[in-house]
Amino acid sequence: MTIRIKVSHMATVGIRTTKQRTAVAEALTELDDFRSTQEIHEYLRERGDSVGLATVYRTLQSLSAAGDVDVIVREDGESVYRLCSEAHHHHLVCRKCGFTVEVEGPAVERWAESISTTHGFTQVSHTFEIFGLCPNCS
Amino acid sequence: MTIRIKVSHMATVGIRTTKQRTAVAEALTELDDFRSTQEIHEYLRERGDSVGLATVYRTLQSLSAAGDVDVIVREDGESVYRLCSEAHHHHLVCRKCGFTVEVEGPAVERWAESISTTHGFTQVSHTFEIFGLCPNCS
DNA sequence: GACTTAATGATAATGATTGTCAAATGCAAT
DNA sequence: ATTGCATTTGACAATCATTATCATTAAGTC
């Protein structure tokens, strides 16, 4: 028997719904590809729902902590965010335009899991992303 | 028939051997785990072979471009370097102390390759790293 | 040794991210 | 609705890694 706790809902305790957070969430639904915090901030500004940069940072962080958005650390060290579907998965991301293909690899998950436990590691997380140039940008 | 070109040797054309580059290379052989540029710079300073920070950055970059060192972009966006063995592989890295286990996953490589070509991506590179706490740091 | 050119290093500049804190606001209870 | 209060916001400063600049130094070649 397994007990499951929805962490994203736990995190919601004491968390308020503000127009800024709503705006960030909306931006994420409207933007399809992975975007940086600054891009999302700029997008909101152009859209008329200007939100402070620090707030966008904070909101994206809490959303990712809650598991509601995916984060990828690009090769240059910058973090980019995207709304995620429920399942765990990885990405094929265009270095130039950000176009993203979602990919799944259950075998990779299992492999990462077994490797970690074999070596006695705890609190593990793994990253597996493929970067390249999409057909349009090639 | 396949033609192989050692890129690392091509890159060596017009490249000079300086005491700074030698020092960085030595530091890498002495340090076993993944280290940041700043850590390597500090290590050299304490060791007596002080090398300018900018030079350490440049040297690590060119070494990684030549494929002589491995780079991992940590979850916080900072790049860490380590001398690499010849084969392509991935890592299980301790978030706290940097202890690293080298792992190989030919299946993962092939999978990344096929996914990329299926979607028409070019100039692909992939990252697959596992972060966690090693037995000692747990 | 002289020359040419790449490399170095001190420092400034950049750029993303985080910290600060007074002012604004969501929300629950009245 | 209004009050009370803790959370959130936002403008700005601060931090931190990385990159650019550029005058000076030093490899490697003749």
Side-chain angles (χ1 to χ4, degrees):
Chain A
M1 183 166 88
T2 310
I3 299 177
R4 286 177 180 281
I5 300 175
K6 275 225 167 178
V7 179
S8 62
H9 288 175
M10 289 179 64
T12 303
V13 175
I15 300 285
R16 295 176 182 173
T17 308
T18 65
K19 73 167 75 75
Q20 289 86 345
R21 285 178 182 157
T22 305
V24 171
E26 279 177 23
L28 286 168
T29 65
E30 293 167 20
L31 295 168
D32 276 339
D33 304 322
F34 278 91
R35 305 291 180 174
S36 70
T37 307
Q38 314 249 6
E39 284 171 339
I40 292 169
H41 170 254
E42 176 61 18
Y43 176 79
L44 287 170
R45 207 185 54 66
E46 290 175 354
R47 195 167 167 284
D49 298 311
S50 202
V51 174
L53 181 57
T55 300
V56 180
Y57 270 102
R58 285 183 294 236
T59 303
L60 289 173
Q61 276 171 197
S62 61
L63 284 174
S64 81
D68 295 324
V69 302
D70 280 340
V71 196
I72 287 183
V73 179
R74 274 195 319 217
E75 293 163 315
D76 66 355
E78 189 172 1
S79 296
V80 287
Y81 302 84
R82 196 183 92 149
L83 210 61
C84 75
S85 32
E86 70 304 321
H88 182 67
H89 48 244
H90 298 288
H91 308 90
L92 174 56
V93 185
C94 177
R95 254 190 291 265
K96 184 166 289 180
C97 74
F99 172 66
T100 303
V101 178
E102 230 165 68
V103 296
E104 274 188 55
V108 174
E109 311 300 324
R110 284 193 298 274
W111 186 61
E113 180 69 22
S114 74
I115 288 275
S116 317
T117 56
T118 298
H119 293 277
F121 274 58
T122 60
Q123 297 180 42
V124 296
S125 64
H126 64 269
T127 66
F128 178 48
E129 317 302 341
I130 312 174
F131 297 99
L133 295 180
C134 72
N136 286 335
C137 294
S138 289
Chain B
M1 183 169 87
T2 311
I3 297 177
R4 286 176 181 281
I5 300 177
K6 276 225 168 177
V7 179
S8 61
H9 288 176
M10 291 179 62
T12 303
V13 174
I15 300 285
R16 295 175 183 174
T17 307
T18 67
K19 75 168 70 77
Q20 288 87 344
R21 283 177 184 158
T22 304
V24 171
E26 279 176 23
L28 286 168
T29 66
E30 294 167 20
L31 296 168
D32 276 339
D33 305 322
F34 279 90
R35 305 289 180 176
S36 70
T37 307
Q38 314 248 7
E39 285 171 339
I40 292 169
H41 169 255
E42 176 63 14
Y43 175 79
L44 288 169
R45 203 183 57 66
E46 290 175 355
R47 195 168 167 283
D49 299 311
S50 202
V51 174
L53 181 57
T55 300
V56 180
Y57 270 103
R58 282 182 295 235
T59 303
L60 289 173
Q61 276 169 198
S62 61
L63 284 175
S64 80
D68 296 324
V69 302
D70 280 340
V71 196
I72 287 183
V73 178
R74 274 195 320 218
E75 294 162 315
D76 67 355
E78 190 171 1
S79 296
V80 288
Y81 302 83
R82 197 183 91 149
L83 209 62
C84 75
S85 33
E86 72 303 323
H88 181 65
H89 47 243
H90 299 286
H91 309 89
L92 174 56
V93 185
C94 177
R95 254 190 290 264
K96 184 167 289 179
C97 73
F99 171 66
T100 304
V101 178
E102 230 165 67
V103 296
E104 274 188 54
V108 174
E109 311 301 323
R110 284 193 298 272
W111 185 61
E113 180 69 23
S114 74
I115 287 276
S116 317
T117 55
T118 298
H119 292 279
F121 275 58
T122 60
Q123 298 179 42
V124 296
S125 64
H126 63 270
T127 67
F128 178 47
E129 319 300 343
I130 311 176
F131 297 99
L133 295 181
C134 74
N136 286 336
C137 294
S138 289

